[in-house]
Amino acid sequence: MVQFDCRFVAPLFVYFLVEGFFHTSNRKRYLFRILGAAAVTWIGEIIINLAFHNTSHLTHTMTVYSVLEGNNILVTLAIFLGIMWAIELFRENKRKWWYLILAIFLTFLSAIFEGGLYLLPVLFIFYLCCLSSTLVTISQKLNHGASLFGACFYSLKH
């Protein structure tokens, strides 16, 4: 049951990332803050991997990859922020194609980081909902979803 509760957090991170993207006054500073937090957590993961002698699953020895590997969702969120920013620059700057190419490249890059594959659809749903003024706001949907999630969770416990 703990894993189910924890799996709910990643889409929530993406929701707040999208909301922050549309409400921040300085997107560059927002990106650098997320990248800074990702760097700090990645350094912590490297220290933990070295301290506990994290080994490769194939060779059972410590490799560069086994030391650098980690579950850092902040890197994924930084890439997602870059995707949204590139799409916005493409939309605002008279369809300059290199922004679209950058967004596509970042989309493929996100697939190799934690949560990238299953969080990409979540990102695009939240992003498109924030762009659309005719849909019900995401916060209202999230409140309904949270109520439904709470009711389901309560019924599972009892």
Side-chain angles (χ1 to χ4, degrees):
M1 189 56 104
V2 172
Q3 281 205 340
F4 178 72
D5 294 344
C6 295
R7 298 286 180 220
F8 178 71
V9 174
L12 200 59
F13 284 166
V14 174
Y15 168 75
F16 286 121
L17 179 80
V18 173
E19 285 292 317
F21 176 77
F22 283 106
H23 291 99
T24 188
S25 61
N26 190 336
R27 289 180 179 164
K28 186 177 181 180
R29 210 173 351 164
Y30 188 42
L31 177 63
F32 282 124
R33 284 182 184 152
I34 293 175
L35 285 173
V40 168
T41 57
W42 207 343
I43 289 169
E45 289 173 1
I46 290 171
I47 292 169
I48 289 171
N49 288 341
L50 286 171
F52 290 103
H53 303 288
N54 189 19
T55 60
S56 170
H57 299 291
L58 297 175
T59 62
H60 300 292
T61 60
M62 285 187 76
T63 62
V64 173
Y65 177 75
S66 69
V67 171
L68 295 178
E69 96 176 310
N71 297 321
N72 194 344
I73 196 159
L74 291 170
V75 174
T76 308
L77 294 177
I79 293 171
F80 284 176
L81 186 62
I83 292 169
M84 290 186 295
W85 200 359
I87 291 171
E88 284 297 306
L89 290 172
F90 174 74
R91 291 177 63 237
E92 294 169 358
N93 291 316
K94 298 183 173 62
R95 311 279 189 231
K96 292 190 178 176
W97 290 100
W98 57 80
Y99 293 124
L100 186 60
I101 292 169
L102 177 62
I104 292 168
F105 171 74
L106 290 174
T107 300
F108 283 111
L109 181 65
S110 71
I112 65 172
F113 289 97
E114 184 195 5
L117 283 177
Y118 78 91
L119 288 176
L120 267 172
V122 174
L123 171 74
F124 289 125
I125 289 169
F126 287 148
Y127 177 75
L128 292 174
C129 286
C130 278
L131 286 179
S132 176
S133 60
T134 59
L135 295 175
V136 178
T137 64
I138 293 177
S139 60
Q140 290 172 340
K141 288 182 180 179
L142 189 63
N143 285 338
H144 295 310
S147 299
L148 180 62
F149 175 77
C152 291
F153 185 73
Y154 180 78
S155 66
L156 288 174
K157 286 180 76 175
H158 291 81

